[in-house]
């Protein structure tokens, strides 16, 4: 199994030698390798069983580093970076020649972000290269928000997990594509659209998903599988169709439902706080991946703020859409 610790020099050593290290971020834990080393990046795809058509996000430590990873950084991208980086924002920009096509799945653009986590920022400062890092979980499964989540799923495939505690946002970054002055939202995430619109005008916010060759990470139509069938929609209506309710799991914002075992009901936030709900989402999906639960009924969140991103993740975890 992987070693778990807080020792940055150990992480630096493994990464410099072309090995993988799981890293903490404010969104979820990432599975990191030298972004400029194609042989190291191959190990990410192998460890996750990730298809090569799904691109990776490159992580760096400062805004000044953007121009080393991207060949063009429009003014509006700098404007967004100055306001939201470090933070849960990924910018899609034209890639530099240093970035292998394997990282971008053949695309001429690359996703770049600066994670808002002190351990990982210090790690990045001590490295002479940025890190390619998707979420540190087997492909298609629920993203990890603690070091133990990574150990449980990938501990036999990687040498080291840098333990930075629980991720305080809990869902992946918001992805923005910037072309000139045009700003397009490609993936909803930990940065709410309302916050973005305080700084820039969103040209497009059509969140498209794909079964292959997505333009950015996290755009696949089927993802975040907790190991059970998930039905997203009206929980009360779906419960009426089920005779044996003893093996039903429920994820709601703040509601409780009669006839369901208490241990099978998870309220993401008893106060209805969407930030808290986002932080607890992936842990809730993992908690209900238990032999005593056959299906999961998930409540659609309010269609605002981080509720949009939570609904996005639940939709892609769900069984043939809503029921």
């Amino acid at each position: 199994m992987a070693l778990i610790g807080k020792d940055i020099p150990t992480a630096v050593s493994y990464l410099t030698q072309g090995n993988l290290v799981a890293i903490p971020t404010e969104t979820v834990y990432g599975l990191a390798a030298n972004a400029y080393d194609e042989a190291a990046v191959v190990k990410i795809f192998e460890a996750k069983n990730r298809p090569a058509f799904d691109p990776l996000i490159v992580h760096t430590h400062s805004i000044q580093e953007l121009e080393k990873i991207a060949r063009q950084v429009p003014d509006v991208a700098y404007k967004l970076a100055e306001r939201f980086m470090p933070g849960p924002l990924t910018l899609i920009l034209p890639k530099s020649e240093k970035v292998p096509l394997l990282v971008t799945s053949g695309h001429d653009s690359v996703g770049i972000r600066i994670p808002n986590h002190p351990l990982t920022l210090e790690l990045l400062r001590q490295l002479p290269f940025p890190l390619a890092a998707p979420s540190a979980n087997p492909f298609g499964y629920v993203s990890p928000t603690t070091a133990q989540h990574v150990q449980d799923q990938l501990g036999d495939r990687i040498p080291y997990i840098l333990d930075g505690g629980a991720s305080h946002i809990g869902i992946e970054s918001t992805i923005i594509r910037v072309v000139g002055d045009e700003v397009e939202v490609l993936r909803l995430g930990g940065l709410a659209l309302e916050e973005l619109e305080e700084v820039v005008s969103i040209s497009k916010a059509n969140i498209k998903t794909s079964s292959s060759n997505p333009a950015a990470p996290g755009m696949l139509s089927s993802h975040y599988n907790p190991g059970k069938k998930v039905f997203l929609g009206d929980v009360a209506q779906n419960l009426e169709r089920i005779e044996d309710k003893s093996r039903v799991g429920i994820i709601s914002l703040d509601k409780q439902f009669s006839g369901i075992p208490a241990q099978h009901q998870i309220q993401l936030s008893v106060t209805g706080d969407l930030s808290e709900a986002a932080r607890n989402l992936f842990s809730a999906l993992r908690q209900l991946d238990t032999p005593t639960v056959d299906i999961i009924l998930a409540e659609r969140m309010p269609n605002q703020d981080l509720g949009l991103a939570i609904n996005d993740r639940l939709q892609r975890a769900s069984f043939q859409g809503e029921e």
Side-chain angles (χ1 to χ4, degrees):
M1 299 301 283
L3 295 173
I4 299 179
K6 301 179 183 294
D7 190 61
I8 291 176
T10 297
V12 168
S13 177
Y14 279 120
L15 290 164
T16 302
Q17 294 172 41
N19 292 310
L20 305 181
V21 171
I23 58 172
T25 80
E26 78 281 21
T27 57
V28 299
Y29 272 68
L31 184 61
N34 180 351
Y36 296 155
D37 182 349
E38 195 167 80
V41 172
V42 165
K43 294 178 182 179
I44 294 176
F45 288 93
E46 291 175 342
K48 284 175 60 70
N49 291 322
R50 183 184 180 99
F53 59 69
D54 196 11
L56 309 178
I57 291 174
V58 174
H59 295 64
T60 189
H61 58 82
S62 69
I63 294 174
Q64 290 71 30
E65 295 293 304
L66 294 180
E67 61 188 28
K68 298 179 182 179
I69 304 167
R71 68 176 183 271
Q72 297 172 10
V73 184
D75 290 343
V76 68
Y78 277 120
K79 187 177 181 180
L80 286 164
E82 288 166 1
R83 173 68 181 273
F84 298 115
M85 290 183 168
L89 175 66
T90 293
L91 295 173
I92 303 292
L93 299 168
K95 80 174 191 69
S96 76
E97 293 183 358
K98 291 183 177 181
V99 181
L101 286 172
L102 180 63
V103 171
T104 66
S105 295
H107 293 285
D108 193 39
S109 56
V110 61
I112 310 171
R113 97 175 188 94
I114 304 173
N116 190 16
H117 193 288
L119 265 184
T120 295
L121 283 173
E122 183 56 35
L123 171 64
L124 287 161
R125 292 186 192 103
Q126 293 189 26
L127 291 168
F129 47 78
L131 294 174
S135 56
N137 55 285
F139 179 74
Y141 193 66
V142 180
S143 300
T145 54
T146 69
Q148 189 59 50
H149 290 164
V150 182
Q151 181 76 288
D152 292 343
Q153 295 175 342
L154 294 180
D156 60 345
R157 305 180 197 178
I158 61 176
Y160 195 66
I161 301 169
L162 190 63
D163 186 358
S167 301
H168 72 263
I169 290 181
I171 55 175
E172 298 89 349
S173 61
T174 299
I175 297 181
I176 300 293
R177 178 160 55 195
V178 180
V179 181
D181 293 331
E182 296 288 303
V183 176
E184 181 180 3
V185 180
L186 297 184
R187 181 179 76 181
L188 297 165
L191 182 63
L193 293 183
E194 291 89 341
E195 293 182 80
L196 284 167
E197 288 171 338
E198 291 176 1
V199 179
V200 295
S201 175
I202 304 297
S203 305
K204 297 179 183 177
N206 297 320
I207 313 303
K208 299 177 181 178
T209 59
S210 173
S211 60
S212 64
N213 197 31
M219 294 182 67
L220 292 174
S221 53
S222 179
H223 210 46
Y224 311 110
N225 179 7
K228 308 289 178 182
K229 290 180 179 178
V230 177
F231 295 90
L232 175 62
D234 189 313
V235 171
Q237 283 186 5
N238 285 333
L239 273 175
E240 291 178 359
R241 308 175 190 177
I242 299 172
E243 291 186 12
D244 181 9
K245 297 178 174 55
S246 65
R247 300 184 64 81
V248 173
I250 291 178
I251 295 175
S252 71
L253 179 58
D254 54 7
K255 298 184 182 71
Q256 286 189 318
F257 297 84
S258 60
I260 305 297
Q263 67 271 25
H264 290 176
Q265 297 197 56
I266 300 178
Q267 297 165 279
L268 296 178
S269 173
V270 294
T271 62
D273 183 278
L274 291 173
S275 294
E276 182 183 12
R279 187 163 60 247
N280 293 330
L281 174 62
F282 288 147
S283 291
L285 286 167
R286 287 172 180 273
Q287 187 177 329
L288 292 178
D289 183 10
T290 170
T292 60
V293 170
D294 291 334
I295 65 171
I296 299 171
L297 304 182
E299 177 188 28
R300 183 174 289 279
M301 301 294 124
N303 212 29
Q304 63 187 45
D305 195 48
L306 292 186
L308 289 165
I310 298 171
N311 288 336
D312 170 77
R313 301 308 190 272
L314 286 171
Q315 183 67 55
R316 282 187 277 163
S318 67
F319 179 68
Q320 297 180 353
E322 293 187 24
E323 284 292 315

